[in-house]
Amino acid sequence: MINLETPKKYRGFVKQVHEVAENFLRSNSRKYDLAEHAYPKELDLLASLVDGMNESGQSQGAGAAGVRVKDDAKDTGVKNGTNMSSVLSVIEMCWGDVGLLLSMPRQGLGNSAIASVANDEQLERFKDTWAAMAITEPSFGSDSAAINTTAVKDGDAYILNGEKIFVTSGERADSVVVWATLDKSMGRAAIKSFVVPKSLPGIRVERLEHKLGIRASDTAVIVLDNCRVPAENLLGDPEIDTSKGFAGAMATFDNTRPLVAGMAVGCARAALELTRDLLAEAGVEVDYDRPAQSQSAAAATFLQMEADWEAAHLLTLSAAWMADNRQPNSLEASMAKAKAGRVGNQITLRCVELASTLGYSETELLEKWSRDSKILDIFEGTQQIQQLIVARRILGLTSSQLK
């Protein structure tokens, strides 16, 4: 049985994270939105605190590495574990600021990718790295199977060539998890991920993008030009197993998509809370004991938004719970990402409308949250791709059968 109340053992931790989000992230939100590409120095102290909590076990397994589930033959009961802890912390942090969360050293999506598929030796070796994740290329967006970046074995190394775009923290991170194909003719099964330190010759940041939202986070174009990467930096199994197809690479998304859904849930909650306060100041009462149709249009709209938010919230927690309990969650991860990404953006935009001039101006953060939320419906697989994955899972069809 799934109990989606915040687990008792995490309530104190969630409260701590909320305080951090309020004092470190929310308080610097506007500053780094206006100063695009400026590094948020305040995050250095926060990152050190998170590292210390992870080392001591105080963080309850949250953070980028929290998506890794350890096998324990003695543990046969249902539980809320590190995936749930990570999602709960991400929700609170993005209540503070999405862009600043994405700028946290050693807490990038690349670190989550390492935690998802690395073996124990690699996990230990890369535990102190700050890893960006590079998947998208100029020739494709969400179709990760269309990767053209190549990795050719050469002795004890792989030679990587290709171009990656929209790499979050691509300039600031000290390494990049690069998705490349070992053999294009072998299809999806040949796609592997490599940890590429940026100190290696042959990898360079070509440019930084100017963006609508998450402006505190740097987004880079990265070029790999005969970059020689040690063979031991290939994450997981180096063998091409056509029977497994793309399953190994997609396991990363099954873990990270609930995190992105949590980002949307946290950002939307921030907008809802502020909008409710602004409506109250304007004399608009939201009455939970009366039918929506008997209230003002603004109150009825707000109630509908809260209902959509609750659905996204529960789907997100459900996907995390399934991961903690070793239940296949590919369908649920995509459902959570699709629902949360869509309603998160819809809610923030509608909150701007309800707040009128206050929502559109920089007096409040509503306009910023509406800009930030859009990317959460796009990266880690667009809304359309998530719906396609959900349809395939429900209908029992392969990617070649339903495109």
Side-chain angles (χ1 to χ4, degrees):
M1 178 179 177
I2 302 177
N3 184 347
L4 295 178
E5 292 292 327
T6 301
K8 184 177 180 181
K9 67 177 180 179
Y10 293 147
R11 289 172 191 169
F13 165 67
V14 168
K15 182 180 179 182
Q16 287 180 325
V17 176
H18 181 81
E19 291 174 352
V20 167
E22 184 173 21
N23 295 315
F24 274 88
L25 305 189
R26 182 74 69 86
S27 61
N28 288 294
S29 190
R30 181 65 73 187
K31 172 183 176 181
Y32 288 104
D33 180 58
L34 295 174
E36 186 174 16
H37 298 157
Y39 176 68
K41 295 180 180 179
E42 291 86 350
L43 295 182
D44 287 337
L45 174 59
L46 181 56
S48 298
L49 290 173
V50 172
D51 290 341
M53 291 175 68
N54 284 333
E55 288 291 331
S56 65
Q58 295 180 55
S59 70
Q60 307 289 339
V67 298
R68 189 177 186 87
V69 178
K70 296 181 179 180
D71 289 324
D72 187 348
K74 297 179 181 179
D75 186 6
T76 58
V78 296
K79 64 181 183 298
N80 290 300
T82 54
N83 281 273
M84 182 67 76
S85 178
S86 291
V87 164
L88 291 172
S89 66
V90 160
I91 289 172
E92 295 304 323
M93 294 291 271
C94 288
W95 174 91
D97 189 270
V98 177
L100 289 172
L101 171 71
L102 291 170
S103 301
M104 283 274 292
R106 296 173 295 284
Q107 298 299 319
L109 292 173
N111 292 93
S112 293
I114 293 172
S116 295
V117 298
N119 58 42
D120 289 342
E121 183 276 329
Q122 291 172 328
L123 193 68
E124 177 64 24
R125 180 153 47 96
F126 297 126
K127 68 178 182 179
D128 294 324
T129 193
W130 180 3
M133 187 154 69
I135 302 175
T136 306
E137 299 178 4
S139 60
F140 75 90
S142 293
D143 184 11
S144 302
I147 284 173
N148 288 313
T149 297
T150 58
V152 178
K153 188 71 182 293
D154 181 27
D156 60 353
Y158 287 91
I159 308 299
L160 270 63
N161 282 283
E163 181 180 356
K164 297 293 186 179
I165 61 176
F166 300 123
V167 181
T168 302
S169 297
E171 182 182 52
R172 297 170 186 167
D174 49 50
S175 62
V176 183
V177 175
V178 176
W179 289 36
T181 178
L182 301 184
D183 185 345
K184 189 69 175 176
S185 66
M186 297 291 286
R188 296 165 177 255
I191 295 174
K192 303 291 181 179
S193 53
F194 300 80
V195 178
V196 183
K198 287 171 61 185
S199 59
L200 293 177
I203 181 172
R204 70 177 187 273
V205 175
E206 190 72 7
R207 69 175 185 273
L208 293 179
E209 303 289 2
H210 295 279
K211 309 185 297 297
L212 171 73
I214 59 167
R215 292 162 60 87
S217 169
D218 66 305
T219 303
V221 173
I222 288 181
V223 173
L224 298 129
D225 183 8
N226 290 320
C227 184
R228 188 178 182 87
V229 180
E232 61 266 24
N233 284 23
L234 185 155
L235 294 174
D237 188 354
E239 299 300 320
I240 300 175
D241 188 347
T242 55
S243 65
K244 291 184 178 179
F246 204 35
M250 291 303 292
T252 299
F253 288 136
D254 293 344
N255 285 329
T256 57
R257 279 173 178 158
L259 294 180
V260 178
M263 294 178 191
V265 167
C267 185
R269 195 187 85 199
L272 285 171
E273 290 177 357
L274 178 55
T275 301
R276 184 169 53 210
D277 291 342
L278 293 175
L279 288 175
E281 290 175 11
V284 177
E285 179 187 3
V286 179
D287 190 342
Y288 294 92
D289 295 325
R290 290 166 52 206
Q293 62 267 26
S294 66
Q295 300 187 53
S296 67
T301 299
F302 188 88
L303 288 169
Q304 181 59 57
M305 289 193 298
E306 278 200 328
D308 281 338
W309 179 87
E310 188 71 22
H313 184 213
L314 294 179
L315 277 170
T316 302
L317 297 187
S318 177
W321 184 93
M322 292 178 72
D324 281 334
N325 288 275
R326 300 178 182 83
Q327 296 182 15
N329 75 332
S330 181
L331 170 63
E332 289 75 13
S334 286
M335 289 174 68
K337 169 65 170 63
K339 178 69 174 178
R342 182 178 69 252
V343 305
N345 189 232
Q346 289 174 344
I347 286 171
T348 55
L349 283 170
R350 186 59 62 85
C351 286
V352 168
E353 294 174 7
L354 289 179
S356 189
T357 53
L358 276 178
Y360 198 68
S361 71
E362 291 184 356
T363 305
E364 302 289 351
L365 288 168
L366 284 174
E367 59 81 26
K368 179 186 183 301
W369 293 333
S370 70
R371 290 186 286 110
D372 288 347
S373 68
K374 186 56 192 174
I375 191 60
L376 303 176
D377 195 30
I378 297 175
F379 71 2
E380 289 290 288
T382 64
Q383 176 71 213
Q384 294 77 12
I385 288 295
Q386 301 309 323
Q387 292 183 25
L388 190 58
I389 293 171
V390 170
R392 288 170 183 164
R393 296 291 186 271
I394 291 175
L395 299 174
L397 300 176
T398 65
S399 57
S400 60
Q401 292 171 319
L402 183 61
K403 298 183 179 180

